[in-house]
Amino acid sequence: MTGGKPGSNPTRDLVRVAFGPSVVALTLIAAVTLLQLLIANSDMTGASGAIASMWLGVHQVPISIDGRELGVLPLLPVLLMVAGTARTTAQATSADTSWFVVRWIVASALGGPLLIAAVSLAVIHDAASVITELQTPHALSAFAHVGLVHAIGAAIGVGSRMGRRVLAETALPEWLPDSLRAAVTGMLALLGLAGATTVVSLALHWGTMHELYAITDSLWGQLSLTLLAVLYVPNVLVGAAAMAVGSSAHIGPALFSAFTVLGGDIPALPILAAAPTPPLGPVWVALLIIGAASGVAVGQQCARRALPLLPALAKVATAASIAAVAMALLGFAGGGRLGNFGDVGVDQLTFGPAVFCWFAAIGALTVVMIGGVTRGAVRTRPMLPPAREPEPAPAQAEVVDVQEPGQLFEPDELFEPDEVIGAGELSWTPEPDPPRPFEPPPPTQPPGPLEDPEDLMFTDDDGFNRPG
């Protein structure tokens, strides 16, 4: 069995996948808990139970203390846990990893945290016998939350390495990665613009935030409030995003939306000073521009590769569906019951559908307007131009080195063609030979003395007419 990198130790990779993120979280939680107990000058009784409860709380497992349930837990730790699991699984996986090894990696990513969850439940149950205010969470709920968090991280990590391979081996459309990228872009745009609006609102409600900090006089208490506010920043951003798409967020009886605000008691958390106060001015209606801008971002990503009309619309709809499910999941994880304040969170019935409508409608309109739709059939692979056959070289005139008497031109001079008629066909007009100078005939010998005519005559005596 081989891991993601050549020459790596498979056993070490699996151990790191199984226990790496969880052990890091336990170490940080233990350090913060012990520091809090030391500053509060308290004994270490129940420290192990507090550490185990906080580790389960990182996985959004509700914690009950003295009969009061703390279900609204910060989203930042769980997002960091998902990112850590995704990173370790991606490091142990490569594009050519066999499916047998992939199953081992995913099993390790789930098995290690579930084992730590079982130990944590046992530690909490043991500590509850000493600290009566501490109550053991429901075992099935704890295992479900822990398994879901690490399953999401493992899916992201393995998918980042083997996504193209899965597309090649299955019948999934080739534009699916584009839809996933567009969904992530739209979510980041929505949360980022909601964060900018939250910062502006905090500046406008600076006095309220100062009053919330005034509940403690110690420097350590104010630092603790600041750290707690930072951990709850993603929760507030999700609530602001719900308002931006036309849904609503609530803290007990207090209701906040882009159209109306109902007042009520809110927890003394400094970042909650950004919540709008009644009466609602028209400026909050401008939050809807955030939803429209996020839909434009989705459309721009989907239009990077032009497709025919139906596949282009299917790409936008898929991106909107992925973003809607992810935002609804964040809204569900960031909500819950908060003691006497009641239920805290976003309206789940309208949040996900509102995200889908904004992303699908504005995204599809953007794709059509900026040229993301083609009229012809789409080519899945680029077509190379046909290779041109090399043209045969033009025939050259053969030079014959013939030296004739009286030749007035050099034999090395070649006739150059006037033009090329066809492949291998030359045509030229030879130059006429220059006129040759007159040459007198060679002198003849003078006639010799006349011969005797009788020498030229034959007689019978010469033997021609003799009988045999």
Side-chain angles (χ1 to χ4, degrees):
M1 179 176 65
T2 59
K5 296 180 180 180
S8 61
N9 190 342
T11 304
R12 183 182 59 190
D13 293 341
L14 293 180
V15 171
R16 184 172 60 248
V17 169
F19 299 104
S22 299
V23 170
V24 172
L26 275 175
T27 303
L28 295 177
I29 290 171
V32 173
T33 302
L34 295 177
L35 185 61
Q36 287 278 6
L37 293 177
L38 288 175
I39 293 176
N41 198 17
S42 175
D43 55 5
M44 298 300 171
T45 304
S48 59
I51 294 173
S53 298
M54 293 179 65
W55 187 87
L56 291 177
V58 168
H59 297 82
Q60 301 298 303
V61 178
I63 301 174
S64 298
I65 301 176
D66 197 16
R68 298 178 180 179
E69 182 179 350
L70 179 60
V72 185
L73 297 169
L75 281 176
L76 184 58
V78 68
L79 293 178
L80 293 178
M81 182 64 70
V82 171
T85 304
R87 182 174 181 271
T88 54
T89 52
Q91 289 177 345
T93 312
S94 62
D96 56 349
T97 302
S98 64
W99 291 110
F100 176 77
V101 178
V102 171
R103 287 193 292 268
W104 270 101
I105 293 174
V106 175
S108 300
L110 298 179
L114 291 177
L115 177 61
I116 297 179
V119 175
S120 299
L121 289 174
V123 170
I124 295 173
H125 182 73
D126 182 68
S129 60
V130 179
I131 305 175
T132 56
E133 293 83 1
L134 185 62
Q135 299 178 3
T136 305
H138 194 274
L140 184 60
S141 175
F143 287 131
H145 282 79
V146 172
L148 180 61
V149 169
H150 289 272
I152 294 175
I156 295 175
V158 174
S160 64
R161 298 292 187 181
M162 305 187 64
R164 297 184 182 276
R165 175 179 169 185
V166 172
L167 287 177
E169 295 179 356
T170 59
L172 296 175
E174 294 184 357
W175 45 259
L176 187 59
D178 297 338
S179 295
L180 182 59
R181 187 183 303 109
V184 174
T185 302
M187 292 172 57
L188 292 178
L190 180 60
L191 294 174
L193 293 175
T197 306
T198 302
V199 172
V200 173
S201 181
L202 281 175
L204 295 176
H205 298 86
W206 186 263
T208 304
M209 186 172 61
H210 180 72
E211 294 176 359
L212 294 177
Y213 268 112
I215 63 174
T216 178
D217 297 332
S218 63
L219 178 62
W220 180 253
Q222 293 181 354
L223 290 177
S224 299
L225 282 177
T226 303
L227 177 60
L228 194 61
V230 171
L231 294 178
Y232 276 98
V233 165
N235 302 62
V236 176
L237 295 185
V238 171
M243 297 174 60
V245 296
S247 183
S248 62
H250 58 275
I251 303 176
L255 179 66
F256 308 95
S257 71
F259 307 102
T260 183
V261 173
L262 300 178
D265 296 333
I266 61 175
L269 192 63
I271 196 172
L272 293 181
T277 55
L280 182 65
V283 67
W284 287 100
V285 182
L287 280 173
L288 299 179
I289 301 177
I290 297 177
S294 303
V296 171
V298 173
Q300 288 178 342
Q301 288 294 321
C302 291
R304 294 179 63 182
R305 292 179 56 190
L307 295 174
L309 180 60
L310 292 182
L313 295 180
K315 183 196 296 187
V316 176
T318 303
S321 301
I322 295 173
V325 172
M327 293 300 296
L329 184 60
L330 287 176
F332 175 77
R337 188 166 185 81
L338 184 59
N340 296 330
F341 290 96
D343 293 331
V344 177
V346 299
D347 187 6
Q348 291 292 338
L349 294 178
T350 59
F351 184 35
V355 172
F356 176 82
C357 291
W358 278 106
F359 285 8
I362 304 299
L365 182 61
T366 304
V367 168
V368 174
M369 292 181 62
I370 66 177
V373 178
T374 59
R375 296 183 179 180
V378 64
R379 291 178 176 179
T380 58
R381 291 180 175 84
M383 300 295 293
L384 298 177
R388 298 179 58 184
E389 296 182 358
E391 297 181 356
Q396 297 182 355
E398 183 179 0
V399 180
V400 181
D401 190 5
V402 178
Q403 183 71 25
E404 297 181 357
Q407 190 175 7
L408 298 182
F409 61 92
E410 296 295 333
D412 294 337
E413 295 180 359
L414 300 179
F415 298 110
E416 295 181 359
D418 293 335
E419 61 178 347
V420 178
I421 298 178
E425 226 179 282
L426 296 179
S427 174
W428 65 84
T429 304
E431 296 180 359
D433 294 340
R436 297 183 180 182
F438 173 77
E439 296 180 1
T444 59
Q445 295 180 357
L450 295 176
E451 297 178 357
D452 189 3
E454 294 182 358
D455 295 335
L456 302 176
M457 300 177 62
F458 298 97
T459 62
D460 295 337
D461 296 335
D462 294 332
F464 288 95
N465 294 324
R466 293 175 183 176

